[in-house]
Amino acid sequence: FRSASLAHDMYGVKNISGTGNIWGSITTRSFSGPKMTSTLNGTTSFRLSNGVIKDIDVAYLIYQGRRSWYSIVDMLQKDRTGQDDARRRAAMKPRKNTGQTRFSSIVGTNKIMSGVANGNLSISSPDIQGGGGGTINLVKRYINYRIKVSLKGDLSDWAVPVIISGPFGNVKPHVDQAAINKMAQQMVQKAIQKRFQKQIE
């Protein structure tokens, strides 16, 4: 099976497009109606290439997070290392929000049991890399995936959680803001502890 818009044809995912393949082995006890979906079992793999995730620029969001982070802890990090300075300079470079995430490839595998696919995927582009897993419920027609995405290069130490979820036909990607806030709080606490420790020494 080959499609110019694989994700859209499979699950009605309008926000993700690309050219790719899907292959695997699937069995079912029926050929029509809900029973066909609920009795699906097997494995599938897919590869989506040179596509776009619309409505979210993941690289931009990570850049903005790093800029905010360095602004918050600037006064705490007087003992900057060469590596830290490189990351700081990289984060301060101007970047435009394109409103979309271009990718070179999205590769994944799924194991289907009784119409529910549990799987994993990885994503790569010139700017970002990441991976994760989740479920595709073919019976309830709902997708719920969670992946962690990081920038390549000097800012690769931040992995931002991205959730891709929703009913078929209205699947939307968004960052897990609560998880990001928690991560930022932990990093600030570590920076404060490090600063106070050096003052004590």
Side-chain angles (χ1 to χ4, degrees), residues 58-125:
V58 175
Y60 174 79
L61 292 175
I62 299 176
Y63 269 106
Q64 290 300 101
R66 292 310 292 264
R67 290 171 68 94
S68 299
W69 158 248
Y70 281 124
S71 297
I72 292 172
V73 303
D74 185 64
M75 297 304 295
L76 301 173
Q77 291 185 328
K78 300 301 183 182
D79 55 324
R80 301 175 186 175
T81 64
Q83 184 181 40
D84 184 61
D85 280 343
R87 289 172 177 166
R88 190 182 299 269
R89 288 194 299 270
M92 292 302 131
K93 291 180 180 178
R95 183 179 179 88
K96 181 181 179 181
N97 186 351
T98 64
Q100 61 183 16
T101 299
R102 291 193 171 275
F103 60 85
S104 303
S105 68
I106 297 179
V107 180
T109 60
N110 289 290
K111 183 176 181 179
I112 306 172
M113 295 183 64
S114 301
V116 178
N118 288 277
N120 59 76
L121 63 80
S122 61
I123 181 172
S124 179
S125 82

Side-chain angles (χ1 to χ4, degrees), residues 33-200:
K35 187 175 180 180
M36 180 185 73
T37 305
S38 63
T39 58
L40 282 175
N41 292 280
T43 58
T44 63
S45 300
F46 67 90
R47 182 181 183 89
L48 194 60
S49 303
N50 301 321
V52 173
I53 302 175
K54 299 178 180 179
D55 301 330
I56 185 172
D57 187 338
V58 175
Y60 174 79
L61 292 175
I62 299 176
Y63 269 106
Q64 290 300 101
R66 292 310 292 264
R67 290 171 68 94
S68 299
W69 158 248
Y70 281 124
S71 297
I72 292 172
V73 303
D74 185 64
M75 297 304 295
L76 301 173
Q77 291 185 328
K78 300 301 183 182
D79 55 324
R80 301 175 186 175
T81 64
Q83 184 181 40
D84 184 61
D85 280 343
R87 289 172 177 166
R88 190 182 299 269
R89 288 194 299 270
M92 292 302 131
K93 291 180 180 178
R95 183 179 179 88
K96 181 181 179 181
N97 186 351
T98 64
Q100 61 183 16
T101 299
R102 291 193 171 275
F103 60 85
S104 303
S105 68
I106 297 179
V107 180
T109 60
N110 289 290
K111 183 176 181 179
I112 306 172
M113 295 183 64
S114 301
V116 178
N118 288 277
N120 59 76
L121 63 80
S122 61
I123 181 172
S124 179
S125 82
D127 292 330
I128 63 172
Q129 59 191 356
T135 61
I136 301 173
N137 194 316
L138 301 171
V139 180
K140 296 182 178 180
R141 301 178 58 82
Y142 196 91
I143 294 177
N144 187 22
Y145 258 75
R146 181 184 181 88
I147 63 176
K148 286 190 174 182
V149 181
S150 63
L151 294 170
K152 293 181 177 178
D154 291 324
L155 299 179
S156 60
D157 59 323
W158 263 38
V160 174
V162 177
I163 298 173
I164 302 174
S165 64
F168 288 9
N170 192 31
V171 177
K172 296 181 179 180
H174 62 279
V175 297
D176 187 342
Q177 193 61 50
I180 293 175
N181 292 341
K182 183 178 180 180
M183 179 175 63
Q185 290 173 1
Q186 292 173 344
M187 294 181 73
V188 170
Q189 290 173 357
K190 289 181 180 179
I192 293 174
Q193 291 172 356
K194 183 178 179 181
R195 179 60 178 168
F196 284 165
Q197 183 63 37
K198 285 193 172 293
Q199 288 180 340
I200 292 172

